[in-house]
Amino acid sequence: MYVAVKGGEAAIDNAHALLAEARRGDPAVPDLTVAQIREQMTLAVDRVMAEGSLYDPDLAALALKQARGDAVEAIFLVRAFRTTLPRLAHSLPVETGEMRAKRRISATFKDIPGGQILGPTFDYTHRLLDFALLDGETPPAAASAAAGPEAMPRVVDILGREGLIEADRPAPEGAEAGDLTRAPLEFPAGRDVRLQNLARGDEGFVLGLAYSSQRGFGSTHPFAGEIRVGTVEVEIVPEELGFPIVVGRVELTECQMISQFKGSKTQPPQFTRGYGLTFGHNERKAMAMAIVDRSLRADEFDEERRYPAQDEEFVLGHTDNVEASGFLQHLKLPHYVDFQGELVNIRALRRATQSARKQETAE
Amino acid sequence: MTPELSTPECTAARRRWMRLCALADRAALEAATAEVSGARWLRPPETGLVMVRGRIGGGGAPFNLGEMPVTRCAVALPGGAVGHAYIAGRDAAKARAAALVDALMQDPAHAERLERDLLAPLADALAAADAAADRKTAATRVDFFTMVRGD
């Protein structure tokens, strides 16, 4: 517990002015524009949009600038901004099968309809620092090739045709998707709420959980069935119109993890799936999310829940980095009265032990 | 809504132009609607949030993925046509221009000009940009060969 304190206004004002100066850095170096961050720090922007749970590249870039590049602080700023806006509508579910993909790979099938498309990837780079970037860069134009009209069906549907993989289930009649922005997290959580929680969850935490599950603290042995990155069009049905209209496009990353399932009393042996979907280009996050989604489905497949990544309360209760950071950092607030109490307590305990010892020596 | 606009063909046409406006730059929409006079704003531009939904597993029940800002507004023209706009982002001027286009397109006196000067070029530019991006993507298409071991 902390108590209110008074005073310090001048110090706080000065600290904030100093913060602004520190953010600006050396004034001899040109000021960074929000457009530069939006265009050239795109993956940082995408992370802020995903975990800030607000698709607005300009605001995410502004938040990164204001937060001096601190992703979690920027996510906090974006979350705070969204609370100022009313909810107008929800979209029709986006159809990722119809995504205009700029990247699409499968680690389970070599030859897939629509092909394996690398897109703009760090994969196969040598991870050597490129000192040429020190002097600024104008890259040569990327190569072009004839783009066919070939459709890109979902890889899981290839297995689905043979019935070897669990099928997607439609929503039960009349069921509305849970919404963490409207109702607090409750357990047991539905898979809809779990996916919302993971989609806005901290990338590092979700990655760590997925990693723990891969290394043996879990029972998933996943294959990356499909990863796709690209844009979809978002449609809503305004009440006054009564038909769906496109409001804009968003870039998404989707991951289908496939893992083996030996079957249970009620289900035949088959492949099961974990699902990851995030705003922006966030492959690591989408893959980790898919593994954790599958881990959290232990009960559905009669798997014993033994590890942290399978424990819904542990996972979902700790993914949110705005909450986590807030609770951790509140320790910086004045706890003077609390601490005085503890101090009195410790002194009393000490006196008690000392006098007990004296008595022992005297005897 | 006028009765003619509720037929499936008209709805499809309206969805097309509303989509093109949503995906267009503000400048093009403003240039095409600069001359409009007598517009009455039934709903001034208002920015709010749309919750974007995905599907569990990609094809199953909906879940809430995250939100996006959307700006909406509604306008009435002296002729009685009512135009609506819902566009991604926070740009009030773009929403106003998009609502004007929606209203003007319902009036045959303006529809032809707007189709020729605004919508057709917007559709062409969008298709060209998408095709250019698709061609760059296509150049990164690979064929993986499985190596035979033990040779």
Side-chain angles (χ1 to χ4, degrees), chain A residues 10 54 69 86 100 128 134 147 156 195 204 212 227 229 232 252 314 317 363:
Chain A
L54 186 72
R100 180 176 288 276
L128 298 173
L134 282 174
V156 290
L195 288 174
S212 74
I227 294 164
V229 184
V232 295
L252 301 175
F314 177 78
E363 282 162 10

Side-chain angles (χ1 to χ4, degrees), chain A residues 9-331:
Chain A
E9 286 88 351
I12 290 169
D13 285 347
N14 292 342
H16 290 168
L18 191 57
L19 169 69
E21 222 178 78
R23 170 169 51 230
R24 178 60 183 84
D26 182 354
V29 175
D31 187 29
L32 187 58
T33 69
V34 169
Q36 284 172 330
I37 299 172
R38 188 192 64 222
E39 296 301 314
Q40 298 176 40
M41 292 284 138
T42 46
L43 300 187
V45 167
D46 286 353
R47 182 175 170 195
V48 171
M49 294 198 299
E51 296 171 34
S53 205
L54 186 72
Y55 195 96
D56 189 317
D58 288 303
L59 288 182
L62 171 63
L64 277 164
K65 178 173 178 173
Q66 187 176 333
R68 308 172 66 190
D70 181 332
V72 177
E73 185 71 21
I75 289 159
F76 194 168
L77 292 170
V78 167
R79 292 267 191 98
F81 174 81
R82 78 152 282 283
T83 63
T84 65
L85 296 176
R87 173 76 61 83
L88 300 183
H90 58 75
S91 81
L92 298 178
V94 293
E95 301 297 343
T96 52
E98 293 161 19
M99 179 185 280
R100 180 176 288 276
K102 68 174 188 186
R103 172 161 167 79
R104 188 270 197 130
I105 54 166
S106 170
T108 52
F109 294 103
K110 187 161 56 75
D111 301 306
I112 44 176
Q116 307 249 10
I117 313 282
L118 294 182
T121 180
F122 292 125
D123 296 352
Y124 313 106
T125 63
H126 294 106
R127 267 75 182 204
L128 298 173
L129 276 176
D130 181 359
F131 290 98
L133 295 179
L134 282 174
D135 301 323
E137 189 203 27
T138 309
S144 286
E150 198 177 354
M152 233 179 244
R154 302 189 314 148
V155 168
V156 290
D157 292 339
I158 299 170
L159 284 165
R161 282 199 287 274
E162 292 180 67
L164 295 177
I165 195 163
E166 58 156 331
D168 284 327
R169 273 164 278 176
E173 199 66 39
E176 186 70 8
D179 187 351
L180 289 169
T181 66
R182 293 292 175 90
L185 183 60
E186 277 177 19
F187 301 110
R191 198 175 168 201
D192 52 347
V193 168
R194 285 191 226 137
L195 288 174
Q196 184 183 11
N197 174 289
L198 292 171
R200 53 196 266 140
D202 184 76
E203 178 179 319
F205 183 70
V206 178
L207 171 67
L209 286 168
Y211 184 44
S212 74
S213 162
Q214 277 186 286
R215 288 191 66 254
F217 291 82
S219 61
T220 48
H221 303 281
F223 293 93
E226 182 172 7
I227 294 164
R228 53 169 83 191
V229 184
T231 50
V232 295
E233 298 192 345
V234 177
E235 288 185 303
I236 63 170
V237 182
E239 240 169 59
E240 62 273 34
L241 295 175
F243 54 82
I245 55 167
V246 171
V247 297
R249 289 176 169 178
V250 293
E251 182 170 78
L252 301 175
T253 304
E254 182 186 51
C255 175
Q256 301 271 4
M257 284 286 180
I258 298 175
S259 55
Q260 201 194 85
F261 170 57
K262 294 200 169 64
S264 67
K265 282 179 204 129
T266 51
Q267 291 156 289
Q270 61 180 339
F271 290 108
T272 58
R273 291 154 52 192
Y275 187 66
L277 185 69
T278 74
F279 279 155
H281 190 164
N282 272 301
E283 259 167 77
R284 193 190 300 117
K285 169 69 181 285
M287 292 176 75
M289 175 177 170
I291 289 178
V292 176
D293 170 47
R294 177 60 188 83
S295 290
L296 291 175
R297 300 178 66 204
D299 289 353
E300 278 183 62
F301 302 106
D302 293 338
E303 293 163 345
E304 191 190 351
R305 287 201 278 143
R306 295 176 58 192
Y307 302 108
Q310 296 168 310
D311 182 333
E312 177 175 279
E313 289 195 43
F314 177 78
V315 172
L316 302 185
H318 300 110
T319 50
D320 195 293
N321 56 24
V322 176
E323 286 174 12
S325 174
F327 195 53
L328 180 98
Q329 298 209 58
H330 103 280
L331 294 174

